[in-house]
Amino acid sequence: MDAVRVALLREVLAGTEWLGATRRFAGALRGSVVSYGGGLLLVGTAEYEPWHLAAHLVDEAAWSGTPELAPTLVRHDARPSDPAHLSVGPGRLAAARRGETLLVVSPQGPGAPLLERVHDARRAGATVLALGDGGAELTAMAHESLTVPDGAELDLDSVQHLVSAAAGENALPSPSRGRRRFRDWLSRLADELTAPPPARW
């Protein structure tokens, strides 16, 4: 259903600046992680965790053959007892270094503690990308940002769908994988969407 939603969104948004803006941002994201071979950290605010974006990026990483797009979700209330992929806490941001990319998703301005951690990650050499209405401080800190103001014609959820889809579609194949054509990707996607549910034993 997400692929259908993205296709409908693109049709509705044809001729607006949103398609170009989301593709440019997706290109910056893809370019950053592919250049360094991965190391994508995804974080939201204490009130908003970008679960869906994390899941969509994992899917796009698999479908496009670009594992670098699969993020590490950094959670503000992570506990050691959580499953491994959900147990990464904000302390991970303090370890961010050159070659890593930090994608901050914020529907409203993040609080001072998160801004401080993002600032430290940038000083350590990480590439910072900001998505949402993160406020002037976060936008100024980011190497690339896509602002989604409250009350815009698109909500943050829809923009995340467009960004993740574009990041996967625009993936540059490595020489060993051969050239992937859009038709091949579309065919694989159609197979995924029409496959019968797995048998339960």
Side-chain angles (χ1 to χ4, degrees), residues 134-155:
E137 286 183 81
L138 180 59
T139 301
M141 238 183 273
H143 294 91
E144 187 76 33
S145 63
L146 178 56
T147 302
V148 186
D150 192 29
E153 55 196 325
L154 275 187
D155 62 8

Side-chain angles (χ1 to χ4, degrees), residues 10 15-16 28 36 38 43 45 47 51 54 56 66 75-76 84 91 98 110-111 127 163 169-170 173 180 184 191 198:
R10 286 177 172 166
T16 71
Y36 290 105
V43 66
T45 63
E47 299 78 24
W51 296 88
H56 293 315
T66 311
R75 302 178 60 225
H76 292 269
R98 183 173 306 282
T127 299
V163 166
E169 287 173 358
N170 293 331
R180 293 185 184 270
D184 297 334
D191 290 344

Side-chain angles (χ1 to χ4, degrees), residues 21-126:
T22 52
R23 284 191 167 122
R24 278 191 300 277
F25 188 81
L29 170 61
R30 181 194 68 250
S32 179
V33 297
V34 170
S35 297
Y36 290 105
L40 174 58
L41 302 174
L42 175 61
V43 66
T45 63
E47 299 78 24
Y48 179 85
E49 289 188 334
W51 296 88
H52 284 102
L53 181 57
H56 293 315
L57 286 171
V58 167
D59 288 344
E60 292 296 337
W63 290 337
S64 67
T66 311
E68 298 91 346
L69 284 173
T72 296
L73 180 62
V74 178
R75 302 178 60 225
H76 292 269
D77 60 352
R79 297 179 299 273
S81 60
D82 290 334
H85 68 291
L86 299 176
S87 63
V88 179
R92 176 62 180 87
L93 301 181
R97 293 292 176 260
R98 183 173 306 282
E100 293 187 300
T101 301
L102 174 58
L103 173 54
V104 184
V105 181
S106 173
Q108 299 173 344
L114 178 56
L115 282 173
E116 186 176 331
R117 289 178 187 271
V118 172
H119 182 262
D120 290 346
R122 179 178 169 127
R123 266 196 327 191

